[in-house]
Amino acid sequence: MIRAILTVKGGVGKTTTAMNLAAGFAYAGRKTLLIDFDGQANLSNILLPDITPEKTITDVMAGEANIRDCIYPTRVRNLDIVPSSIYLFAIERRMLQETAGIQQFKLRRALKDLKEYDEIVIDNNPSLNMCSTNALCACDEVIIPTVADKGSEDGIVLTLDHCKEILEQIDGVDFNYMILITMLQRTTTDRLYCERIRETYGNNHVYQSQIRFQAKPVKDAGFQSGILIDNQKANVARDYRELISEVMGEA
């Protein structure tokens, strides 16, 4: 299964979701590949803190490397990563100008022979561009994180419009979508937001699991190059563990 974590809205826990979902799959014994498809390379810096990768997803998208040469093991058993670099933003612009070949399927073609992986998780930049189009053309499911604010709600609409456009205009592409409510606080505004999202999109497109807002454990995991779900005390870590169980069909 290939899952893309995507939304046009930043600051909604996208990268945290991608990393912990992938780690959860790996802990469950599923051979997992995490693709850092964000030029900010936050995932790469967390999971490969002492390594400067020679080859990254940027080289794959530029047509200068086979993806197998860009796969690095992490300290988590069963979890590998294809790191990113800031030059991915430049490659994305080049792809927009390139006319030779089908640019939307570069990532899909790169992933097609990686049969040894049970799960592939793609973390994307918070924008709708040629890279996000590649991720959608390659995935079986897109997960859209959202928080309780108007900008994030608009982000769902814009992201789903982009998804619909790809499904309608590009042959051979088929994926489901799921919405994940993150950074939830115990306020009336947040409760009403959750109700509205579920009423609008239906429970079949919104995860039952909801991720509570708890900044310190998330920040600590990032600074310590740790995995949030290893924290046995934090509510936010417990929420992500429940999400992982739900995604794997164990809830």
Side-chain angles (χ1 to χ4, degrees):
M1 175 75 82
I2 301 176
R3 294 179 173 89
I5 317 298
L6 175 65
T7 177
V8 72
K9 177 71 167 62
V12 297
K14 175 183 59 60
T15 295
T16 299
T17 298
M19 182 168 66
N20 285 280
L21 189 60
F25 290 150
Y27 287 161
R30 299 186 181 185
K31 184 68 174 175
T32 303
L33 180 64
L34 184 54
I35 298 177
D36 190 350
F37 215 32
D38 184 344
Q40 297 177 84
N42 291 329
L43 274 177
S44 306
N45 293 331
I46 292 172
L47 290 175
L48 301 175
D50 303 317
I51 297 174
T52 300
E54 293 183 11
K55 298 289 184 180
T56 70
I57 193 65
T58 302
D59 300 289
V60 176
M61 301 308 290
E64 297 172 357
N66 186 291
I67 195 167
R68 289 191 179 278
D69 297 326
C70 307
I71 296 174
Y72 295 77
T74 73
R75 66 187 179 282
V76 178
R77 185 179 180 183
N78 293 320
L79 179 60
D80 296 336
I81 185 172
V82 176
S84 187
S85 76
I86 196 169
Y87 298 104
L88 183 62
F89 294 118
I91 294 301
E92 198 278 334
R93 288 198 300 272
R94 185 196 304 178
M95 290 167 60
L96 287 172
Q97 299 167 354
E98 181 64 55
T99 58
I102 303 175
Q103 301 300 303
Q104 299 95 320
F105 287 134
K106 280 191 168 185
L107 182 61
R108 181 171 173 171
R109 290 195 298 268
L111 297 178
K112 69 178 182 178
D113 293 328
L114 299 182
K115 306 298 185 183
E116 66 269 32
Y117 289 100
D118 303 303
E119 302 282 354
I120 296 177
V121 179
I122 308 169
D123 183 38
N124 292 274
N125 183 262
S127 59
L128 303 178
N129 52 30
M130 185 58 74
C131 284
S132 65
T133 297
N134 265 264
L136 291 174
C137 287
C139 77
D140 303 299
E141 181 174 274
V142 56
I143 297 175
I144 306 172
T146 184
V147 300
D149 65 42
K150 184 63 169 62
S152 187
E153 192 168 5
D154 291 342
I156 296 175
V157 174
L158 289 171
T159 303
L160 287 178
D161 283 348
H162 187 52
C163 291
K164 182 179 178 181
E165 182 179 282
I166 288 172
L167 288 169
E168 291 178 347
Q169 296 184 9
I170 303 179
D171 291 339
V173 175
D174 186 24
F175 55 83
N176 181 39
Y177 78 87
M178 293 295 294
I179 295 169
L180 173 65
I181 298 169
T182 65
M183 300 184 182
L184 188 64
Q185 302 190 61
R186 296 177 64 180
T187 67
T188 300
T189 298
D190 283 33
R191 178 178 59 80
L192 293 175
Y193 180 81
C194 292
E195 292 175 358
R196 185 165 66 251
I197 292 300
R198 294 189 184 280
E199 289 173 0
T200 301
Y201 298 101
N203 283 327
N204 59 324
H205 285 298
V206 183
Y207 285 117
Q208 291 300 310
S209 302
Q210 299 178 159
I211 310 301
R212 281 169 283 187
F213 177 77
Q214 202 174 11
K216 187 177 185 302
V218 175
K219 184 177 291 186
D220 287 348
F223 275 121
Q224 297 166 11
S225 297
I227 305 297
L228 176 61
I229 57 174
D230 289 343
N231 188 324
Q232 297 301 310
K233 296 181 179 180
N235 289 331
V236 63
R238 183 181 305 116
D239 293 343
Y240 269 114
R241 290 194 294 270
E242 290 178 358
L243 170 68
I244 292 158
S245 294
E246 181 178 356
V247 172
M248 292 194 301
E250 298 174 2

